[in-house]
Structure formats: structure tokens, C-alpha cells
Amino acid sequence: MSAEDTPRAVHGRAPDVFRRGGWVPMRCFDDEEEVDFAIVGTGAGGGTLAARLAEAGFSVVAFDVGAFYRPLEDFASDEREQSKLYWRDERVSGGEHPISLGSNNSGQSVGGSTVHFQMVTLRFRPEWFKARTKLGYGRDWPVGWREMWGYYAKAEAAMAISGPISYPWGPPRGRYPYRAHEVNAAGQVLVRGARAMGVAWAPTPLATISAPRGLAHPCVYRGFCKSGCSTNAKQSVLVTYIPRALKAGAEVRDLAMVGQIETDDAGRATGVVYYRDGRWRRQRARNVVAAGYSIETPRLLLNSATARFPDGLANSSGTVGTHLMVHSNHAVWGEMDEEIRWYKGPPSMAVCEHWNYEDQKDFHGGYAFMSQGPLPVDYAQSFVSNTGVWGMELRRRMANYNRMAGLKIVGETMPQEKNGVTLAEERDRFGLPVARVTFGYCDNDRRLYEHSLRFMRRMLKAAGAGDLFETESTAHLMGGCPMGFKPDDSVTDADGRTWDIDNLWICDGSLFPTAGGVNPSLTIVAMAERIADRIVALAGRGELERRGRRLGALAG
Amino acid sequence: MPEPSRRSLLSPALWGGAAAAAGLALGALWMARRPPRRAREGMAPAARTAHGAAMERHLARRLDEAGTMLSLSVLADSAMEHYRGRFHDPFMYAAPAAAALSLARGGPGSGRRTAHGAAALTGAVGTGFHVYNVVARRESGLTWNSLFYGAPLGAPAALVLAGMAGLAAAQLRVEAREGEPASIAGAPAAPLVALGTALGLLGTTAEVALLHFRGAFQDPWMYVPVTLPPTAALALALTVLRPTPATIAAARRLLQATTAMGLAGAGFHAYGIHRNMGGWANWSQMLLQGPPLPAPPSFTGVALAGLGALDLMESER
Amino acid sequence: MSRFQPPYPGYDVLAKWDTPSWNDPTRRVVAERLTRVPERRFFDPHEWATLHAVCDRLIPQPDRLEPVPIAPFIDDKLHRHQSDGWREESMPRMEDAWRRFLKGIDEAAQARYGRPFVDLGPEWRDLVLRAVQKREAEGGAWGDMDQKTFFEKSLLREAAGIYYAHPAAWSEIGFGGPASPRGYVRLVADRRDPWEAPLEREDEA
């Protein structure tokens, strides 16, 4: 029976991600049993929170619409096959610059997008948490950087990040748990360019281990990271927090689509309605956490509208499904004299954050850029859809595959109210209205990526590349249910607790008030670590059922 | 269905592994051997002289063994590592060749001093090459990553040690005189070998410390080879300053432990390969990428020389 | 146009089938791709023939006795309603878009050359396809569908994705192919593991 067809985590056991055919015991809750937390989504936000809350002694059930894989036996070394890890249920993408969805920004499996992410785990620049006050754009975060610095360290420890001894940008950080990997040839191109341009570079801090860790094998540099790691070297939430959650007594329900969060007459959440194993069910819960990421979380809140909450849950401010951000993913590619063979090793082994920390520029925000190593299908598809090349010329250009090198940005975009998520007319396989995503770049976004293209062109040339060409795409999702300081312009407070419903929480990337110029996963995990600590602290003060003094919460 | 293909199982990596295994077996045999009876008070003067000469020969043998062990370790390790580097520079053949030559000429016979001298020289030149590789040739310049993944700075030094041990053994035999204390190049042999061993242990420890740091000391056992050998080195140095029965006994125990650790280390590294993806079934990758199988026994080699020095020291008291 | 010379003529990624570079899940997936080419289930025979003719121009394979099949996998995807997880709002639904395209190029071929697309020679086929790419193809089938968007973001993307997922294409470009449990050791430029394609320079030597 395949993991995609029949739920695996049932009857008191769940797949053991470290052993072929293995199982670990799992505590199971009855639908009628009112659990402390029902968490919708098991990715960087939900999976992390499930582990932390279960370890704190709460009863937890975590739902994921995706399958529960054992990477060692379920993941093939094949790009097409492994697209099973991407969100492939229908969505509609519109706006001035419709973004592509799925492979580059949303996953569908237990562990969420971290199962196919490229493992780049960078911290935010401290000033970004006060983007409005310190840098003059976007919004401030209701969380300070010093506090986040501690949670970053926690997240890095939990995911055993392999990173450099000293990182050239930002305030000091502790030693990474594991040493940085050898930088592959593709990364050395960035290194050469950075030295020629006089900017700093670093081996990318990566969530893939450079030495054994328990039953997880160290990275073998097979390069299929984006297609799921069959080595178990990748420290995804699937192989880090999920086993912890199970061990601590959480239940994980795979192939379980939550369609609605139920609320009672008093306007409090009472549980979730979910579809699993052929029928709709209802799980009662004292608290509900939406952790489905920037599209599914707003979609769920909107799909849960009632007479009392006609615009969707937690939406009195009208900000649910607004301020969605992406990272511009513009890239420059060129042909080298040497054979680079970028398919070896994780795709982005060297990073330059120069323009995240340099403020003399004609745009707000920043970008990091990294060396690249797309596998053939990924590269071919990006190449043809950007250049329009076909015919014999396509085969000729693709034959340069082993000589190619590239630099690609993770470019910050501005939070704009018009970019976001609404419900479309169409319905998905569960009969639920699908998400309609709207996105358009603003002038600042354009200035940013144009700057990056100019810079990377010069740098790639300096590194010895010829026949340059550019591609554009987007990656990652941030925002959609921004957290903030006031109930009238945000969905949640600093703890991810919705302003409108005391026992409804959000714990994922949709909370981001601004995007930052780095990959979001580490920040999502760090936020989840923080939210877990806050929930434990609130419970200790007896403020879990009812919010404490509103002013107190505001001051916090 | 595509036609299955079978790659030849014979590759340098396999030979490297075989050499390492052979080294292990030989080392275990040596360990089983006993040193000559210790000198006792009240022995007749003539007997004492005869015993002294026996101790000289014993130290020479120990040094030969040390040299052999080190050469074996270097042969296997450099063959594997330079194969990993695909012998892109013809000089990369020099290290395994010199180690092999030193091995072949390890016993008594003509030309052995030339062979050992060549080994030591190759090691010294190799160190220069490795420094050049790490500092100058890497795209990134001198960084932690070039130290971790560039040519290992300390590795060729093991070849220097191997050659020096062989040379010392040869010299010891040449300078042996009835009734006179053992000497090497005119210097008293026991303290000289003891200090050389201490330095060798410290240098080897530095190399291991770097590589185990690279491995994030993920297994607590990885701390042993960075703590035990330097302790043994200090104890050995102390015996030179104060050769009392107590200091000698302490140094002996620590050196014996280091000898055993070197052999056990190969076992740990074999287990480390098993813990890597695919384990031993994936040997064609993991012998190169996993922990280096033939490296730890170099500790055994160095420690053996120190044990010989202690034996001599004890008999000369 | 000069003839295409694949850079690694002696390299076959399938030669690694029984080595540690391939594991069972991968062998299962690739064996299925090689041996069970989907049959026509979505398109009608004329659409099927037209799509084959299109793919033959997008990725010509005159050098292969057995060309890598592309059209059957497109048919299969549409038959199984296998979405990529999104569609552009301005575009029709996937199934509809493909049918409009195939009808559209027939109309354009009729308008230009008085015969259906499949009956055109290679040069004329290319001219029709280039017209689509430039949003200049005639015909009412297109409706409000943007020709260029469909051509580059759906058609070309899909065809390239299928071709470069085939072991023959991996060998052609010197890609290492499947790599589990065995990955790679040598990550430096111009350096290779014995289980990779020989360097181009080695081949010349």
C-alpha cells in the first residue's frame, strides 16, 4: 500500500522514518476526546509546535493532508516521481505577475515543505524585525531580534545545522552544531566571483548533516535535495521534530485534510472538521492552530466562515489573506570552461548576503544570492520557459549542462495589501473552494531584482562565465495572516494568537509581517519554538483559555 | 529492461582497504610480542652489558616496527586519499611510493637508510605541497573549510615520522658499542626517541583534532584520540626529565593505551563507515568519504617507538 | 544548422543500474518509464498524431532509432487530471488549453498552407509553432488563451520536463543520474568519480 493512498499513522503506530518498514508507537486520540491542541499542518511551523507542545505535556493531534513517508524506502532518485512531495492540488494564480506554485513554495507531506526544501537556513538580519522604524519600509515585527536570536540557536540545534565557524554578516552567533560541508564546484564559482568583486561569501549554513547524527546518515552529495532526501541527511521536520512529537505522545494524522475550523456560539474554536480515509470527521479540541502556510492557512480561515464570522475566522481586521509576499528568484546563468557538474552536492553550497547588510542602494529590503545546482528537469523547464528555446538548439544548449554555473537571489518583496489569498469558485477533490492567489511586484521589488541581475552578471563574468542569460521565478511564501501590535491591522499578536478568537492560533510563515531577504524556513521554526514557549508560559499563568489583560498582551 | 552491468570490484580503494586490514593484523601480532626481561638489581656486570646490548637491539626493533606501522598507515591512507584526488598531480604518487619503499627496506639490509631518508624527505616535501594546496591553491584562500577539506596539513608528517623512525633504528645499530649507552647521532637514544615520540603524538593529535572537529565530535569516543595521546606525550616527556620507576610506569601505561587505541580506532572508523549511507555495501564511496580506515593505527606506530624508549630507559637506570 | 554532437558519446547512465548508485525505488520508477509507455487515452487519434508531430519539432531526435516518447506522457497526465498544483487565472483549465492548442495549430496550418498540421513538412511545422510563440497564429480555437504563455509555460515546459526525465537524455548531457545510496565524493571542478561520465577532455584524449 502506498503512502499516498492509505493513511499509515493509524492503530497506535506511525512510520519510523529511520528504518525501512519500521514503526514507532503512537498515542491515538478519539475524535470525541477534547485534545488540548489540534494543529493543522506538520511543516516547519506545525510540526515544530506539535513536538514542543507534546513535550510540555499537552495532548496534541497534528493533521497533514500529505503522506507520511519513510525517506529511505519511499524516495526515488527521480525528479518526476518526487514531485509527489509538492502541493499539486488545484490553485488559481492571478494578479499582474501570477506566481507559480508547488515545487518552489509549498509541500504536501508530513513534514511539509521542509521535506523538499533546499535546506538553506539563514537568520534574519536583526534590523528587519524593526523594518519600519529602523529601515523605513514594511512593518515592524512584534518580536525583537535579541529574543529571536536565542530561538534561532534553538532551531539550529534541533536541526543540527552544518554551518561555517564564522559567519561574515550580522551579530555573532554561536557555533553551528555541525561543520560546514565542502563547497562544491558550483559554489566555488560564487567564491571566485565574490573575491573578484570584493564582497564576502560563506559556505551556506545547511540543514543537512556533515557527520552522522543518531540514525541519520551524513550527506552523500547526491544532489536530489529538492526531490526529497533518501539519505535522511536532510534535517527536515519529518526526521527531527516529528519523531520527537510522536515520542512525546502527539498523534500525527497523515492524509487528513482539514476543511474547516468549527466555532461555537460564543465565538470560540471547538475543533476541526477533517477528511480522512474516505469520510469527514470532527476532532474536538480546546485550542486550534492553523499551520498550513501562507496559502492554506488563510484559505482555511476563509473557508471556516460562519454567520458570526461572515468574512472568515479571525478576520475582523480584514487582513486575513492579505500582504502575501514571495521571494523574487531571479538568476543569472553562464557557461564555464571547466566541468562544474552542479548536480553534485546540495544545490546552494555558497552564499553571499552582502546586499542584505549594505544599505547604500536604490531600493528597500535586501537579497541574498547563492550558487545553484538544478537537476536536468528543473533546469530544462526553467531554461525553456524563460528563453523560449526549442528544437535542436534546445538539445545543444542543454548539452552544456555540466559546464553551467548560476547565481540566484532570494529577494525580499514588499508587503502589499493587494497581494494575497481569496477563495475561488472552483472546488478541489474534497469539494472545498480552492485558493485564488494574487500577486504583483511593486516598483521597489523591481528595482531590487534589477539591481541583483546587474550585480550577479558582473560577478559571474568575473568568475569566468560566458554566454550569460537570465531567468526569473519566485520562491517561498511569507505573510497572508500577518502578526502585529494591534487588532485592527493584523491577524494575531506576537504569540500567533488571533486577536478575535482566544483559542485559535497561527504558527507558520503566514505570520511574517515582512519577508526578509533570506529563505524563511529557519525563521518559521524559530517562531514556532517561541510560540511554544509562550503557550507554555500562558498556560502556567492560567491565560490559555482566556486571554489575559489585553493591555498586558499588547505590551508583551 | 536495460542490461545490468557489473563494475569490476578491483579498484585502488579496495586495495587501500586490504592494506589497512593487513596493517591491523600485523599490528595485532606485534602487540602480542613481549619485550625482553627487565634488568634486575644484582645482575652480574657482564650480564648487564649483554642485557644492555639486547635492549639496544630491542629499541631498534621497536623503531623499525614503529616505522613499518607508520609506513603502512601512510601507504594505505595516501593511496586512498590521493586516489580520491585522482592523482591529478604526478607528485601524488610519491607519498605511497616512498611509504612502500620504506616498508620494503624496513628490515636490516643495504640501502635502508636511503629508503628511510627518502621517506622522511618525501614527507617533508609533501607537507610543503599540502600547505601550498591549502593556503594558495584553494579558490577560497585559507579558511576553515580549506583546512577541513583541502590537503591535510599533518598527514605527510606521518611519513616524516616513519622515515625518522627507520633512520633512528639504523643509526642505533651502527652506533651500538659494547658497554656504552645506546646513542643515535651521538645523543643518548632513550631520551631522544622519547622526545621524538612525544612530538609525533602531539602532531598526530593536532591532525585528529582538526578532523574530529570537522566531524563535530558527534560520537563522544571521538574525544579519546585528542586527549589520551597528548597525555601520553606529556608523561613521556616527564620521563626524560625525571626517569623514576613511577613516571616510567605511568608513561608505559598511557603509551600502551595509545597503542591499543590506534588499533581500536580503525575499528571505530570501520563502524563509522557502516553508519554512513549504504554502509559497507557502499564502500566505493564510503572508504573515501567516511572516516579514514588506515589513519588511526599511525598512533600505534608512534606509541610503539615510545614504548621501546621506555624499555631502554628502564634498563639503563 | 550543424549537426548536434552529444558531449558524452560513450556514457550510459543505465550502466549503473546494478551499482550502489541505484536503489529499488528508483529502479521501479525508471523501469516503469522505460517499459510502460502510456497508451492514448485522452486525445482523439488526430489530436494524438498532431501532438506527436509537435513534440517531434520541439525536441527533434533524428539521431535516435527509438526516440524518447514525449506525447504519450502528456496524454497520460491529462487523462489522470494530474495538475501541477496551480494554473494561471487567465488560462483555461489544463485539458481545455491543450485541446485549444491542437485545434489552433491546425487552423493556422490550414490558413497558411491549406492543410492540417500533421501534413506539413518540418520547416512549415516550425513556422506555425513560431507563430504561436509570437502570438501570431491564426484561428478561432485560441479564444482568449494567450498563445505565447501556453507555448512556453505549458507545452514547451512539459515536453522538456518529460524528455529530460528520460535516462537517454541524462546520458546525453552527462548527468550522473540516480544517486542513492551512493552519491558523489569528488565535488571539485574537472574532477569526477569513476561512476560518473568521463570528462570531455578524457574523451578527447
Side-chain angles (χ1 to χ4, degrees):
Chain A
M1 269 179 304
S2 83
E4 300 95 42
D5 298 334
T6 317
R8 277 179 167 175
V10 287
H11 307 311
R13 63 180 198 176
D16 181 347
V17 293
F18 296 110
R19 292 186 171 87
R20 290 180 180 82
W23 300 95
V24 292
M26 180 177 77
R27 181 176 171 192
C28 284
F29 296 90
D30 194 84
D31 280 357
E32 285 308 309
E33 193 177 342
E34 189 178 41
V35 295
D36 292 327
F37 285 89
I39 301 176
V40 186
T42 62
T48 304
L49 190 69
R52 291 294 319 282
L53 292 181
E55 286 168 352
F58 292 106
S59 54
V60 174
V61 177
F63 300 83
D64 204 293
V65 65
F68 202 143
Y69 291 112
R70 295 186 193 93
L72 293 175
E73 67 180 11
D74 292 326
F75 291 175
S77 293
D78 187 82
E79 291 178 88
R80 266 182 97 75
E81 163 72 11
Q82 291 302 118
S83 61
K84 65 188 181 188
L85 298 177
Y86 309 148
W87 186 282
R88 293 193 298 184
D89 286 328
E90 199 60 61
R91 288 163 169 172
V92 178
S93 185
E96 291 159 65
H97 304 99
I99 57 173
S100 60
L101 301 167
S103 65
N104 49 352
N105 54 23
S106 30
Q108 195 178 86
S109 73
V110 172
S113 307
T114 66
V115 178
H116 73 252
F117 79 153
Q118 304 203 28
M119 313 173 300
V120 176
T121 40
L122 305 176
R123 297 184 182 191
F124 262 43
R125 173 181 168 180
E127 287 84 348
W128 292 343
F129 292 102
K130 291 276 175 285
R132 170 56 58 190
T133 4
K134 296 219 161 169
L135 302 169
Y137 72 90
R139 308 155 68 120
D140 284 354
W141 289 50
V143 192
W145 78 268
R146 284 180 191 284
E147 193 186 355
M148 284 303 288
W149 231 236
Y151 286 105
Y152 276 131
K154 270 191 155 182
E156 286 160 356
M159 295 194 288
I161 303 304
S162 300
I165 307 284
S166 59
Y167 195 69
W169 305 279
R173 50 190 72 181
R175 166 94 16 99
Y176 281 106
Y178 278 61
R179 303 293 82 76
H181 295 265
E182 179 180 4
V183 174
N184 63 1
Q188 295 296 345
V189 174
L190 182 146
V191 175
R192 200 185 305 164
R195 282 163 70 93
M197 301 287 285
V199 296
W201 66 276
T204 312
L206 293 172
T208 179
I209 44 181
S210 56
R213 183 192 198 201
L215 291 172
H217 310 291
C219 181
V220 296
Y221 309 108
R222 62 191 271 273
F224 279 83
C225 315
K226 203 178 159 184
S227 297
C229 178
S230 66
T231 311
N232 263 346
K234 176 190 281 190
Q235 298 295 291
S236 64
V237 168
L238 176 63
V239 303
T240 54
Y241 284 102
I242 294 293
R244 277 172 60 180
L246 293 171
K247 200 171 170 204
E251 180 182 351
V252 174
R253 292 190 191 150
D254 55 338
L255 303 184
M257 176 67 182
V258 173
Q260 193 193 347
I261 296 167
E262 286 193 311
T263 45
D264 61 16
D265 295 339
R268 289 176 55 80
T270 57
V272 298
V273 178
Y274 69 102
Y275 186 89
R276 195 188 194 203
D277 221 2
R279 65 191 177 92
W280 286 97
R281 305 162 187 234
R282 175 174 285 118
Q283 174 68 52
R284 297 180 59 233
R286 285 182 203 92
N287 292 274
V288 173
V289 184
Y293 207 11
S294 293
I295 295 177
E296 293 307 310
T297 287
R299 178 189 177 207
L300 177 60
L301 296 180
L302 296 176
N303 268 336
S304 301
T306 61
R308 187 189 166 110
F309 300 113
D311 300 323
L313 302 186
N315 199 17
S316 65
S317 63
T319 52
V320 166
T322 65
H323 299 92
L324 177 75
M325 293 160 286
V326 300
H327 282 134
S328 48
N329 224 197
H330 291 65
V332 180
W333 313 84
E335 196 186 329
M336 307 292 294
D337 287 335
E338 316 98 287
E339 288 195 56
I340 300 298
R341 304 198 178 204
W342 60 15
Y343 56 81
K344 296 191 278 188
S348 297
M349 301 196 82
V351 60
C352 176
E353 275 206 70
H354 179 80
W355 294 106
N356 271 337
Y357 288 84
E358 167 62 56
D359 288 324
Q360 300 300 312
K361 50 197 182 192
D362 66 342
F363 56 87
H364 285 308
Y367 62 87
F369 61 92
M370 282 148 250
S371 58
Q372 296 298 307
L375 297 190
V377 170
D378 195 8
Y379 177 61
Q381 293 193 323
S382 164
F383 178 71
V384 297
S385 54
N386 275 281
T387 63
V389 168
W390 52 277
M392 255 337 200
E393 180 63 9
L394 170 58
R395 286 182 69 192
R396 219 187 320 273
R397 296 288 293 272
M398 278 300 292
N400 292 334
Y401 180 74
N402 278 349
R403 294 184 181 281
M404 297 305 298
L407 302 172
K408 189 187 262 195
I409 64 165
V410 168
E412 184 165 8
T413 62
M414 294 295 117
Q416 301 180 66
E417 191 170 4
K418 68 181 172 97
N419 289 340
V421 178
T422 51
L423 297 178
E425 297 285 309
E426 297 172 48
R427 292 182 177 253
D428 67 3
R429 60 186 161 123
F430 304 101
L432 300 165
V434 308
R436 177 182 179 279
V437 178
T438 307
F439 185 79
Y441 286 118
C442 65
D443 281 344
N444 189 80
D445 300 342
R446 273 188 288 271
R447 281 198 298 276
L448 182 147
Y449 68 65
E450 276 158 13
H451 179 280
S452 77
L453 289 172
R454 283 193 302 272
F455 187 78
M456 291 190 297
R457 260 187 176 276
R458 283 166 56 205
M459 184 150 152
L460 210 49
K461 254 188 206 153
D467 284 339
L468 304 188
F469 69 95
E470 296 169 2
T471 61
E472 64 169 4
S473 58
T474 70
H476 314 141
L477 301 165
M478 283 78 40
C481 292
M483 60 182 181
F485 297 88
K486 304 192 302 289
D488 60 356
D489 67 354
S490 59
V491 182
T492 80
D493 64 12
D495 303 336
R497 188 178 209 172
T498 59
W499 295 113
D500 297 351
I501 302 176
D502 281 347
N503 65 341
L504 174 61
W505 311 71
I506 294 172
C507 181
D508 60 27
S510 59
L511 293 174
F512 283 33
T514 53
V518 295
N519 311 48
S521 46
L522 182 70
T523 303
I524 300 174
V525 174
M527 284 290 296
E529 284 273 2
R530 182 183 175 278
I531 289 173
D533 276 358
R534 289 292 300 153
I535 287 175
V536 172
L538 289 169
R541 296 208 300 264
E543 291 176 20
L544 207 50
E545 294 297 313
R546 284 280 180 275
R547 193 185 300 268
R549 288 169 303 122
R550 176 98 354 150
L551 285 175
L554 269 178
Chain B
M1 285 308 270
E3 195 59 26
S5 90
R6 303 202 182 277
R7 270 166 31 82
S8 164
L9 287 179
L10 297 177
S11 83
L14 185 64
W15 288 114
L24 270 180
L26 281 174
L29 281 176
W30 280 326
M31 289 305 296
R33 293 177 53 234
R34 293 158 179 276
R37 279 186 309 116
R38 292 183 185 176
R40 292 205 188 95
E41 295 300 322
M43 206 180 264
R48 286 181 74 154
T49 309
H51 184 75
M55 287 313 300
E56 253 169 44
R57 283 198 301 278
H58 169 67
L59 175 58
R61 262 202 313 274
R62 275 290 195 224
L63 282 169
D64 276 334
E65 289 163 3
T68 306
M69 195 73 181
L70 280 163
S71 297
L72 266 175
S73 173
V74 171
L75 172 61
D77 202 36
S78 68
M80 285 166 68
E81 290 295 321
H82 287 182
Y83 167 67
R84 178 196 177 117
R86 295 199 69 96
F87 293 100
H88 68 272
D89 186 327
F91 281 112
M92 292 166 84
Y93 289 104
L101 192 64
S102 179
L103 263 182
R105 293 288 180 187
S110 62
R112 62 188 184 217
R113 278 203 284 185
T114 317
H116 296 315
L121 189 67
T122 308
V125 174
T127 305
F129 270 119
H130 282 205
V131 169
Y132 173 68
N133 174 294
V134 167
V135 176
R137 291 228 356 233
R138 312 254 340 151
E139 205 83 75
S140 47
L142 179 60
T143 63
W144 275 101
N145 260 46
S146 21
L147 286 173
F148 288 152
Y149 301 106
L153 296 185
L159 195 52
V160 177
L161 287 177
M164 298 290 272
L167 280 177
Q171 201 61 28
L172 199 57
R173 292 194 177 95
V174 170
E175 293 177 30
R177 299 276 183 281
E178 286 278 319
E180 282 178 31
S183 69
I184 296 169
L192 189 68
V193 174
L195 287 177
T197 302
L199 277 177
L201 285 175
L202 290 177
T204 312
T205 302
E207 175 83 0
V208 172
L210 179 74
L211 293 181
H212 282 196
F213 178 52
R214 183 181 91 183
F217 288 98
Q218 48 86 19
D219 184 333
W221 287 103
M222 291 166 79
Y223 286 105
V224 177
V226 297
T227 48
L228 177 58
T231 316
L234 288 180
L236 202 52
L238 192 63
T239 62
V240 176
L241 295 176
R242 301 184 55 192
T244 68
T247 56
I248 291 178
R252 182 183 301 281
R253 267 187 217 107
L254 285 165
L255 281 177
Q256 282 168 338
T258 304
T259 318
M261 182 204 75
L263 298 177
F268 272 98
H269 282 198
Y271 174 66
I273 289 173
H274 162 75
R275 283 184 75 192
N276 270 267
M277 185 61 188
W280 277 92
N282 187 16
W283 60 267
S284 55
Q285 175 174 18
M286 287 315 160
L287 278 181
L288 299 177
Q289 191 186 307
L293 205 51
S298 60
F299 271 123
T300 307
V302 180
L304 279 172
L307 281 173
L310 285 181
D311 291 338
L312 182 62
M313 221 179 263
E314 209 165 43
S315 76
E316 286 177 352
R317 278 189 73 248
Chain C
M1 206 183 275
S2 62
R3 262 186 62 85
F4 168 58
Q5 300 279 353
Y8 304 96
Y11 171 66
D12 181 6
V13 77
L14 290 177
K16 293 193 257 187
W17 189 273
D18 276 333
T19 71
S21 290
W22 290 59
N23 60 8
D24 285 339
T26 307
R27 282 188 276 258
R28 258 198 307 277
V29 167
V30 178
E32 165 126 359
R33 187 168 304 151
L34 292 174
T35 57
R36 292 173 56 185
V37 177
E39 286 170 15
R40 179 182 65 80
R41 284 176 298 182
F42 177 79
F43 291 115
D44 68 30
H46 177 71
E47 289 170 331
W48 173 260
T50 308
L51 184 60
H52 272 89
V54 170
C55 293
D56 183 51
R57 295 317 301 156
L58 294 181
I59 303 181
Q61 305 176 56
D63 50 329
R64 291 188 200 288
L65 290 176
E66 282 184 69
V68 170
I70 296 172
F73 290 100
I74 296 174
D75 182 287
D76 182 59
K77 177 175 171 160
L78 292 167
H79 171 75
R80 292 190 291 129
H81 304 290
Q82 196 187 74
S83 148
D84 290 325
W86 64 290
R87 91 179 149 76
E88 256 183 54
E89 191 168 30
S90 63
M91 297 294 285
R93 295 185 74 102
M94 188 167 70
E95 293 83 354
D96 186 25
W98 283 87
R99 290 222 151 95
R100 282 202 211 180
F101 162 74
L102 292 173
K103 192 145 186 264
I105 54 172
D106 256 353
E107 288 177 357
Q110 286 287 0
R112 289 167 181 233
Y113 311 109
R115 62 186 82 159
F117 187 83
V118 282
D119 293 345
L120 302 180
E123 290 80 12
W124 287 2
R125 285 178 181 175
D126 283 2
L127 286 172
V128 171
L129 292 175
R130 292 213 185 279
V132 177
Q133 196 173 11
K134 286 191 273 182
R135 302 190 175 96
E136 289 168 359
E138 299 81 354
W142 302 101
D144 56 356
M145 181 171 92
D146 184 74
Q147 297 180 16
K148 183 180 168 70
T149 302
F150 178 83
F151 186 89
E152 290 180 354
K153 302 274 157 77
S154 296
L155 170 68
L156 192 49
R157 202 172 170 280
E158 204 59 54
I162 292 167
Y163 181 77
Y164 287 101
H166 196 281
W170 299 339
S171 302
E172 173 179 320
I173 63 175
F175 170 53
S180 189
R182 182 170 63 188
Y184 304 100
V185 177
R186 298 165 182 86
L187 307 183
V188 191
D190 276 339
R191 205 70 56 76
R192 69 168 186 108
D193 291 327
W195 52 92
E196 292 183 73
L199 299 176
E200 289 184 56
R201 280 168 202 161
E202 288 174 338
D203 258 13
E204 287 159 16

